[in-house]
Amino acid sequence: MVYSFDKEVNRNHTQCAKYDGLEKYFGVNDAFPMWVADMDFETPAFINDAIIKRAHHAVYGYGIVTESLQQSVVNWMQTQHGWKIQKKWLTFLNGVVPAYSAALEAFSEVNDEIIVQTPVYFPLFQSIKHNKRKVVYNPLKEQNGYYTMDLEDLKSKITPKTKIFTLCSPHNPVGRIWSKEELEALAKICLEHNITIISDEIHADITFKPFTPLASISKEIANITVTLNAAGKTFNIAGLNAAYAITCNEALKTKLDEVVKAREIGSINVFGTIAMEAAYTYGQEWVKELKEYLLQNILVTKELLKNTNIKLSQPEATYLLWLDFSCYDLTHLQIKERLLKEAKIALNDGLTFGKNGSKHFRLNVALPVTRLKKYLNIIAKTF
Ligand SMILES: Cc1ncc(COP(=O)(O)O)c(C=O)c1O
């Protein structure tokens, strides 16, 4: 192992949402935070050193997207995901959520219908409302903690006003990696109904079985897809606000670029671009070792919760585990209170991911294993 994930890092008072935002988001300051999707691991030195080196040049004027940054993204997609993309397909901007919001405006009109598959990362439906479009829910089906798409329900919900399908791939919070067959079946429906797919693939690098980028499947599918991605989750640099959109469809790209320009969101923080390029240039070994460590943490979680009635959905990707507390004779609120006030652990509330997130909570296991064990034991004792 080149990298160590066991190092304890004190994140208090570093202006971070996860620790310093506890009072704001949970109304307490004595709980242990296992919520928001960033990791308690230090960002690798090859990124940190690049940032420090740049910071030594104490002029922080406006940055540009360089040819070498673009090439690093092209190379990463090819080596990590076997997807051959071109530099001219890329639009850089300041976050996946801002990119999603811009794409909603670019590919639909006010009051058009946008489909999302709940439970899902909540900004994906909140942003639809903020953009004055209509959210159409196509809930995932669940069986024994395994989630699948309900394509019959999807078909029944399509109307002439349906313009966009929102794909979360891999899926946050249920941890699914959609198989090529599932993606093909979904894309077939979207192709038939002239629906553009926005595919949020920000968790694509942290996968425990083969992952297929939607747009890599066929030319036809690529032509209706805009993929959103970033190095933020993989390398723990989400606070640097740098992301990109990929589409080979020139008309879609032109529309998206117009909105990005009008919203003035195409200028990325200079440290964000430096970090992204370093990540994609030197990050292969880090990703390999990170995945090994996270997989170990997932196994530890399964083991330590196995004598409780908490059910864990099968995690195929990400460090976010979707916990089902519905076996307990408790209301959602009682479970929430017990976690926060008795166990003193702050998890993401499942209801924020959609109605079918009731009695579910999302656990972040990207932290040193000793500390993970300590807090899992507390959860196990409390339930
Ligand atoms: C599915 C998904 N998309 C987007 C984001 C956030 O992306 P960004 O910080 O680049 O806006 C997250 C963060 O948790 C996420 O889970």
Side-chain angles (χ1 to χ4, degrees), residues 37 95-98 121 124 168 172 200 202-203 230 233 238 243:
V96 163
V97 175
Y121 177 61
L124 298 184
C168 191
N172 170 12
D200 177 344
I202 197 168
H203 295 282
K233 299 287 150 203

Side-chain angles (χ1 to χ4, degrees), residues 24 48 72 83 91 117 124 144 184-185 202 252 361:
K24 178 175 171 191
N48 212 31
S72 73
W83 182 22
T91 298
Q117 295 181 309
L124 298 184
N144 295 327
E184 279 169 343
I202 197 168
L252 291 180
F361 289 80

Side-chain angles (χ1 to χ4, degrees), residues 52-152:
I52 292 166
K53 184 171 167 219
R54 178 62 184 81
H56 277 304
H57 185 273
V59 178
Y60 309 122
Y62 295 111
I64 53 158
V65 168
T66 60
E67 184 86 11
S68 60
L69 171 64
Q70 292 177 314
Q71 191 59 46
S72 73
V73 178
V74 170
N75 294 348
W76 188 258
M77 287 302 147
Q78 175 74 62
T79 54
Q80 292 290 304
H81 304 299
W83 182 22
K84 203 168 165 38
I85 63 164
Q86 295 181 27
K87 282 185 271 190
K88 65 176 185 197
W89 298 355
L90 293 165
T91 298
F92 287 83
L93 71 184
N94 63 348
V96 163
V97 175
Y100 176 66
S101 178
L104 293 177
E105 184 184 332
F107 312 136
S108 67
E109 305 288 333
V110 169
N111 291 328
D112 276 346
E113 292 165 10
I114 319 287
I115 298 179
V116 285
Q117 295 181 309
T118 46
V120 76
Y121 177 61
F122 45 88
L124 298 184
F125 52 81
Q126 280 172 350
S127 189
I128 299 173
K129 295 176 194 163
H130 296 157
N131 280 283
K132 302 190 171 47
R133 272 67 172 160
K134 196 172 153 220
V135 187
V136 176
Y137 297 96
N138 168 224
L140 297 173
K141 291 191 289 192
E142 186 257 352
Q143 203 174 18
N144 295 327
Y146 193 69
Y147 286 80
T148 51
M149 294 188 190
D150 189 343
L151 297 185
E152 288 313 309

Side-chain angles (χ1 to χ4, degrees), residues 36-38 93-100 120-124 167-173 200-203 228-233 237-244 318-320 353 362:
V36 68
D38 62 28
L93 71 184
N94 63 348
V96 163
V97 175
Y100 176 66
V120 76
Y121 177 61
F122 45 88
L124 298 184
L167 180 70
C168 191
S169 175
H171 192 97
N172 170 12
D200 177 344
E201 301 187 2
I202 197 168
H203 295 282
L228 309 180
N229 212 328
K233 299 287 150 203
I237 49 175
L240 295 178
N241 299 94
Y244 52 92
T318 84
Y319 45 79
L320 305 166
F353 298 84
R362 194 188 71 177

